[in-house]
Every structure is written in structure tokens, then in C-alpha cells.
Amino acid sequence: MQPFSVKANDLDIHGIKFGDGEDVVIALHGWLDNSASFVPMLSRAATSQTWYCIDFPGHGLSSWRSPQAHYYFIDYVDDVYALITALKLKKVHLVGHSMGAMVAGLFASCFSEYVKSVSFIEGLGCVTTDSDEVCSQLRNAILNRARLSTKKSRVYTSKQQIYQARAKTTDLNNEQIALLMDRNIKQMHSGFELTCDPKLKNHSGFRFDEAQCIGAIKELIAPCQLILGDKGYPFVKQNLDKYSKYYNNLSVIDVPGGHHCHMQSSGLCFEHIHAFMVQSSAC
């Protein structure tokens, strides 16, 4: 395990690298998480690939977007393209958790020539908005931006205070929360602040509608697998019911755990992902 950084789209993308195999894996974390979410799965694994677990822009140690820029979902797809280009990679496996899974799927649909396989963890399809709600979606996003633009960053007295805040919104244990959040925390003279860009909490100004999501899924030709936590988020299973018939090649696996099942059942998740990638590379 070693840190790495690369310049992509004029942003410094930081992350954690595991292994040194010929096959390359790009691992994409969920919203407000970071590359450390993959540490439990990889820190003791005997991987035959090289894994680049990144911090998306605005997360972890990576650069924030410019003051006037926002965090559109489609821009994360551009970030993955820029990363692969910067690293001069020809073809990769993609592993994504939650938001990262949705980014991985859309990237694989748009740039199939770069993708050997896709492993989704507790994420599938896209978060969509009905076409007749497009104006209300944009209006609410703009009003929310105005509110957040005047809000000061919160300063915490201790890391424990941040851990406790995260504990209210997750089923991770204390050790897992600390592992994840330590990469999202910086110490200041007055206390501790989060390294995540506050604009990440802005409402999305634009989302695909269901028909556009289906159209993108139909373009995904790489073999895919979905790993579901048996206590995971209901919306992931709802998306599976809604979209599974549109995938060209999708297998589904259940493991013990919640939305962060790759941290809770880390060994089992790695076994499934590693076996799937080896099988996909051999095809």
C-alpha cells in the first residue's frame, strides 16, 4: 500500500495504490467517502493486479474544483477518463462503490474500449429525475447553492466529534469510521475541519431521466457484477429490479453487510471481485 498522485484535468488526484500486477484496476468510492474505503478489502489481500484507489475531486486529499465549478455527476466520468489518460493506461477493470459504481457504469458505457470488467458495490444505474421535474430540480439546486455560499465551514473540537457525527448516518463500526474519516479531516489551529468541498452537498442541478439511464445501460458491453449487502440500501435493489433486464451481462452476488459491505465483509468481497476480474481477463 502506497500513496500516489497524478495531475488530471488540472487537478491533483490523490489516492492509494495496491499491488504491481499487469492488470490495472481503478477503484471509485462513494459520495463523501474516499479511497480509504477500499483499504479493508486490499490491505491484506494477495492481489495479482495493480489497484489505483482514487479520491474523487472534492474528496479526501484531492483538489477541489474551482470556486465557480460544481460537482455534476457526469464530470466524475470525465475525471476517470482524465486519470486513465494521465496514467497512459490502455484497458482497466473498474470497481465502484455507491456513487462510484454509477460513475463506473456510465464510463464503461461511454468508453467501452478502455474497460475489461465492472464490479458494482451497492450501486447500479443512475439517480434519475423525471423529465417533467427538470425545472424544479434546477430551481432547487440554484437556491441551495445560494444558501450554502454564505455558510462557513464547521470547526470541530476533536476527531471524535467528527466520528460521532458520521456514526449517526452509517452502520460502520468505530474503527471503520475512523479509517474512512481520517482521510477527510485536516487539523487547523482552531480545531479540525473536513477536507471535503462543502459544494459536494449542493443539490444536483441536472440528472438523467429513466429513459436516458436505460439508454446508457444498453451501451455497456463489458461483463458486470453487482455485489449487494444483505442489509444494504433499498434503492440499490429497487434499481436492480428496474434496470437489470437492460444489462447485456450482469451477475449479482449477496454478501453480509450494509451499504459499505466491502468494508464489513472485506475478504469475501475481494474474493468475488478478484475471481470475476481474473475470469473476465481470460475471456
Side-chain angles (χ1 to χ4, degrees), residues 30-231:
W31 181 62
L32 295 181
D33 287 350
N34 55 66
S35 58
S37 73
F38 295 103
V39 169
M41 199 170 69
L42 295 168
S43 58
R44 296 183 180 86
T47 177
S48 58
Q49 301 94 12
T50 298
W51 286 66
Y52 291 96
C53 306
I54 72 165
D55 296 337
F56 275 123
H59 297 74
L61 304 182
S62 289
S63 299
W64 293 7
R65 302 204 193 280
S66 65
Q68 295 304 314
H70 295 277
Y71 291 86
Y72 288 101
F73 173 73
I74 55 175
D75 286 332
Y76 292 124
V77 178
D78 187 13
D79 294 326
V80 176
Y81 179 81
L83 175 74
I84 289 174
T85 302
L87 293 174
K88 298 180 180 179
L89 303 174
K90 293 183 178 180
K91 207 155 188 175
V92 302
H93 299 278
L94 295 175
V95 176
H97 169 243
S98 194
M99 180 188 79
M102 298 180 186
V103 173
L106 187 55
F107 179 87
S109 294
C110 295
F111 296 97
S112 59
E113 68 271 24
Y114 287 101
V115 182
K116 291 184 177 181
S117 74
V118 187
S119 291
F120 305 115
I121 305 170
E122 276 286 302
L124 194 73
C126 300
V127 177
T128 60
T129 295
D130 292 339
S131 56
D132 58 0
E133 295 178 2
V134 63
C135 287
S136 60
Q137 179 78 24
L138 181 56
R139 171 186 169 85
N140 291 335
I142 291 172
L143 292 176
N144 188 66
R145 288 178 189 175
R147 284 192 294 269
L148 284 182
S149 66
T150 60
K151 190 175 181 180
K152 293 183 178 180
S153 298
R154 182 175 175 182
V155 178
Y156 297 84
T157 57
S158 67
K159 286 187 176 183
Q160 286 298 327
Q161 191 179 11
I162 297 176
Y163 301 159
Q164 290 166 7
R166 183 64 190 256
K168 294 177 181 178
T169 62
T170 186
D171 59 356
L172 294 175
N173 63 36
N174 292 338
E175 181 180 356
Q176 292 161 344
I177 290 172
L179 172 65
L180 192 59
M181 295 308 296
D182 279 353
R183 196 171 176 88
N184 277 352
I185 295 172
K186 59 183 178 182
Q187 186 168 5
M188 313 292 286
H189 291 299
S190 54
F192 296 86
E193 291 185 6
L194 294 173
T195 63
C196 294
D197 189 340
K199 289 189 297 182
L200 290 169
K201 294 188 176 182
N202 282 347
H203 296 170
S204 177
F206 167 79
R207 289 183 183 143
F208 291 149
D209 63 21
E210 192 170 307
Q212 290 171 316
C213 181
I214 291 169
I217 290 169
K218 288 180 177 179
E219 295 294 320
L220 208 173
I221 61 175
C224 302
Q225 74 168 347
L226 169 63
I227 297 177
L228 291 171
D230 60 4
K231 299 180 180 65

